[in-house]
Amino acid sequence: MRVLDRYIGTSVLLSIFITLVILVVLVGFVTLMDELGSVGKGDYTTADVFYYVLLILPRRAYEVFPMAVLLGSLVGLGGLANNSELVAMRAAGVSLARIIVSVLKAGILAMLVVLVIGEAIAPNTEQYAERMRASKMSQQITLKSKHGFWARDGGSFVNIRQILPGSQLRDIYIYEFSQERELQVSTHADFAQYQEGRWLLRGISQTRFLTDGVESRSLDEATWDSLLNPNILNVVVVRPTMLPVWGLYQYIDFMHANGQEATIYEVAFWSKVIMPLITLVMVFLAVPFVFGVLRSVGIGQRIFAGSLLGLAFFLLNKVLGHMAVVYSLNPLFAAAVPGLLFLGIGFWFVRRVH
């Protein structure tokens, strides 16, 4: 049975890998063509476009992974079916359930891959890619560190500790320097809101460094004209696609503690939690299809059928996610329904095959 597991698993995993590479290349090419239209904005060059697309490919791979698993499993098992190897296995006394177990073992390895991509690789590479792109286009020097977001704003340096959705900032430090690089003014604001093309600061404490001393003052509010705008800062706002599961959990807790709506992050959280199980569902779904309605068809028809199923899953997942945000549906329900539906379809086909 170990030989059987290894043989079926190798066939399925190799097909999944090849399918994933093809899908990522196609998606990357479309992204590249779209991104080339931004060349020339600021310091954004063609080389930067290629670098940017390369960095966001892990997230694209994570997004298309369920479809790649389904297509790859259909192709891998289909190849075994075309060579009558699955028939030989059944004739030798190997049950359908045992073949499903062998396929699911391969699915567990695929599940580990999607975990590594979604939790360790994609969040880091995409955050770096978005910061690089925004810095090149705005011609500003920006940095995201453990002490917050740093940016150069003309002759000033700005440190923002918290960037929140809705064009809001908290805990802002502004350091203004002279042409001789001497610190002239240090300003701290508790809160900032972007309104009508400028920032409105609140809870301000300011220190001026004069030649003969230091002068301090406090203000309830004041306007701040800055080159920084929400479009630039949005690249470091906590976005669901850029966070691992634990980061999403912490941010949801933070938003609840501050009385803010967190549905979009909750949907992203449960989608990421369920994604490894979706991988197993897709692998499981391929087995009854190959033994049933797709048993005697060619590879092209299997790819077509798998593409339709994968596209249906992708669209259903997106629609329910948006409905959860708009109509306040339960985030766990919205994230789980597509997977449960496809799991039910798989069990229904297994019963028909039996």
Side-chain angles (χ1 to χ4, degrees):
M1 285 304 174
R2 287 184 179 179
V3 174
L4 181 69
D5 290 340
R6 192 180 303 114
Y7 185 72
I8 294 176
T10 301
S11 178
V12 170
L13 288 174
L14 181 60
S15 297
I16 290 174
F17 174 75
I18 294 173
T19 305
L20 180 63
V21 170
I22 292 172
L23 289 177
V24 169
V25 169
L26 289 175
V27 173
F29 180 76
V30 173
T31 306
L32 178 65
M33 292 299 100
D34 182 60
E35 195 66 23
L36 284 172
S38 300
V39 171
K41 295 181 180 178
D43 293 332
Y44 200 48
T45 65
T46 303
D48 294 326
V49 168
F50 278 92
Y51 188 40
Y52 170 78
V53 172
L54 184 65
L55 287 172
I56 65 172
L57 283 184
R59 182 171 71 85
R60 298 289 192 245
Y62 182 79
E63 290 175 344
V64 302
F65 203 86
M67 182 179 290
V69 168
L70 179 58
L71 284 171
S73 300
L74 286 173
V75 171
L77 291 174
L80 298 179
N82 289 343
N83 295 328
S84 300
E85 292 174 89
L86 292 180
V87 175
M89 292 176 192
R90 295 296 301 275
V94 180
S95 67
L96 178 62
R98 188 62 188 80
I99 293 175
I100 291 175
V101 169
S102 298
V103 174
L104 288 178
K105 287 182 179 180
I108 291 173
L109 292 178
M111 181 181 71
L112 295 176
V113 171
V114 76
L115 277 173
V116 171
I117 294 174
E119 296 300 303
I121 300 175
N124 296 320
T125 58
E126 186 171 14
Q127 285 190 32
Y128 179 80
E130 294 293 344
R131 290 199 300 270
M132 182 274 294
R133 183 177 184 271
S135 298
K136 292 284 186 177
M137 286 188 174
S138 62
Q139 295 178 299
Q140 289 183 307
I141 300 173
T142 59
L143 172 67
K144 178 76 179 296
S145 72
K146 64 180 181 179
H147 301 295
F149 175 77
W150 287 87
R152 182 173 181 176
D153 184 29
S156 305
F157 289 89
V158 182
N159 175 222
I160 304 167
R161 298 300 175 90
Q162 292 184 15
I163 304 175
L164 303 176
S167 304
Q168 301 177 79
L169 312 176
R170 286 184 181 172
D171 206 6
I172 309 111
Y173 295 85
I174 306 169
Y175 304 99
E176 300 176 40
F177 289 83
S178 66
Q179 292 184 350
E180 291 75 28
R181 298 184 180 180
E182 295 178 345
L183 181 61
Q184 293 182 315
V185 183
S186 173
T187 304
H188 175 263
D190 295 328
F191 180 81
Q193 174 78 49
Y194 196 74
Q195 298 177 348
E196 300 177 355
R198 60 176 60 184
W199 293 97
L200 179 64
L201 304 179
R202 296 193 180 96
I204 304 165
S205 58
Q206 189 176 76
T207 302
R208 291 184 177 274
F209 299 91
L210 308 175
T211 55
D212 56 349
V214 177
E215 179 182 288
S216 299
R217 63 171 181 168
S218 298
L219 298 171
D220 292 330
E221 63 179 41
T223 57
W224 174 37
D225 294 315
S226 173
L227 296 175
L228 294 174
N229 60 64
N231 290 330
I232 297 172
L233 297 176
N234 276 343
V235 300
V236 287
V237 173
V238 182
R239 290 164 56 182
T241 56
M242 294 185 183
L243 285 175
V245 169
W246 180 244
L248 277 168
Y249 177 81
Q250 289 181 314
Y251 194 70
I252 289 168
D253 187 58
F254 167 78
M255 294 191 76
H256 285 163
N258 287 275
Q260 294 181 300
E261 180 62 43
T263 304
I264 186 172
Y265 296 97
E266 290 172 341
V267 172
F269 171 79
W270 287 114
S271 295
K272 288 203 167 190
V273 168
I274 293 173
M275 176 62 85
L277 301 179
I278 296 298
T279 302
L280 293 180
V281 170
M282 291 300 178
V283 173
F284 168 73
L285 185 61
V287 178
F289 266 75
V290 170
F291 275 99
V293 293
L294 300 180
R295 180 173 52 189
S296 57
V297 301
I299 186 172
Q301 290 170 289
R302 289 194 183 98
I303 291 175
F304 179 72
S307 299
L308 290 180
L309 284 171
L311 183 61
F313 174 83
F314 179 80
L315 292 176
L316 182 60
N317 195 42
K318 289 293 184 183
V319 168
L320 285 174
H322 289 302
M323 288 180 66
V325 175
V326 175
Y327 299 108
S328 300
L329 298 179
N330 183 280
L332 176 57
F333 171 81
V337 164
L340 291 175
L341 178 61
F342 274 65
L343 182 62
I345 292 173
F347 275 114
W348 183 73
F349 273 105
V350 167
R351 293 191 62 179
R352 290 196 62 183
V353 170
H354 274 300

